[in-house]
Amino acid sequence: MKQILRLELEEAKVMIEAARKKAEEIGVLETICIVDEGGYTIALERMNGSRITGVEIAMAKAFTASGHKRSTHLFNKEGGPAAVGGEAFGIQQMIPGKFAIFVGGFPIVINGEVVGGVGVSGGNGEQDTAVGVAALEALQNYVGHEYDVVVEADIKK
């Protein structure tokens, strides 16, 4: 039997708030989604004026990051598993509409375990990354030194 850490609404709200503040700071309208380890949505916020398509995209990015335990942009980068010629080329077709292989999805890793994912949609790659990392930073600040949260863009567990 294994004991696990589980994200709850309180942590998700902290992450959403920090992500939204970062988006406002850099002047981009984002949709931010936080999911649990199974890829199910805990919290989602679509900023006023952001694209309506951002909801499904942010959810897919968060689902993919959590379920596949890696930042979504790592799939499609040169030499990545979903790049042309890669061993997982076409993987996004396995779960249509839910599997994203572009920038904006980050697994939430605490004490070495993937406990969820954050998905960000609305900006360019650099903006989505900044907003996602801000969410991870906020989680680390919220949980304190008792837990170790991976706070970086390139996460592969």
Side-chain angles (χ1 to χ4, degrees):
M1 187 72 60
K2 179 179 182 176
Q3 292 184 333
I4 64 168
L5 296 171
R6 175 152 293 142
L7 280 179
E8 294 189 323
L9 183 58
E10 292 75 19
E11 290 91 12
K13 285 181 174 181
V14 165
M15 296 178 75
I16 294 271
E17 176 71 14
R20 183 179 44 74
K21 284 182 179 177
K22 183 64 171 182
E24 289 170 349
E25 175 187 314
I26 63 176
V28 63
L29 299 174
E30 297 274 22
T31 299
I32 305 115
C33 180
I34 308 296
V35 301
D36 64 16
E37 72 281 3
Y40 291 97
T41 301
I42 299 171
L44 182 137
E45 181 173 317
R46 181 168 65 97
M47 294 173 67
N48 291 336
S50 64
R51 297 180 189 110
I52 60 171
T53 55
V55 172
E56 294 296 326
I57 295 169
M59 289 170 59
K61 289 177 179 183
F63 172 85
T64 303
S66 177
H68 225 68
K69 302 180 179 186
R70 71 171 66 197
S71 299
T72 54
H73 66 274
L74 297 179
F75 283 99
N76 214 15
K77 72 175 191 169
E78 188 174 333
V84 175
E87 63 186 19
F89 177 71
I91 193 171
Q92 70 277 14
Q93 301 305 315
M94 294 301 301
I95 309 174
K98 290 192 76 162
F99 205 97
I101 62 168
F102 45 91
V103 179
F106 309 91
I108 302 168
V109 182
I110 301 178
N111 293 353
E113 296 294 323
V114 176
V115 300
V118 56
V120 182
S121 178
N124 62 35
E126 185 178 304
Q127 292 165 326
D128 286 357
T129 297
V131 171
V133 170
L136 296 171
E137 288 172 346
L139 179 61
Q140 179 65 79
N141 291 335
Y142 182 74
V143 299
H145 298 294
E146 182 178 348
Y147 300 99
D148 179 37
V149 179
V150 176
V151 179
E152 58 187 67
D154 295 342
I155 303 170
K156 181 180 174 190
K157 181 72 180 115

